[in-house]
Amino acid sequence: QVQLVESGGGLVQAGGSLRLSCKASGRIFSTYDMGWFRQAPGKEREFVAAIRWSGVSTYADSVKGRFTFSRDNAKNTVYLQMNSLKPEDTAVYYCAAGPARNYPDFNSWGQGTQVTVSS
């Protein structure tokens, strides 16, 4: 497992942008798949996006075209650029990591960062 620390959450108006970061510990980061999930109050945690060790990314339909997931293996960090934010994007966002052989399962999770989008 790896340790994950998220940052970059905050309060933004609808239509605005935020960039979330997730820094991972360990020297095997480049072999891990990474994911972002979110959980809104009263709702179950849901998948947002994933990026494979190869750099290939996938997105939930609700964020496709608005969010971009990238990784910088030299910095052990992934980024979630969120544009055109909507009030329904309000949630706690969690970074996740897992070895490629286990995809799409993730076995390491961050503490979460709050994203609030006001209307």
Side-chain angles (χ1 to χ4, degrees), residues 52-113:
R52 304 298 311 276
W53 63 272
S54 61
V56 175
S57 56
T58 59
Y59 301 90
D61 288 344
S62 59
V63 307
K64 202 172 295 182
R66 299 187 298 122
F67 290 11
T68 302
F69 199 174
S70 61
R71 65 188 301 157
D72 184 339
N73 289 339
K75 296 183 178 179
N76 277 20
T77 302
V78 294
Y79 305 97
L80 184 68
Q81 178 66 43
M82 306 186 295
N83 298 329
S84 302
L85 283 162
K86 305 174 181 180
E88 50 264 44
D89 294 319
T90 295
V92 177
Y93 282 70
Y94 297 92
C95 180
R101 65 181 181 275
N102 292 347
Y103 188 80
D105 293 332
F106 298 93
N107 62 0
S108 298
W109 294 85
Q111 292 298 309
T113 185

Side-chain angles (χ1 to χ4, degrees), residues 9-13 18 85-87 89-91 93 114-118:
L11 173 64
V12 65
Q13 288 188 332
L18 282 175
L85 283 162
K86 305 174 181 180
D89 294 319
T90 295
Y93 282 70
Q114 177 70 47
V115 171
T116 303
V117 184
S118 64

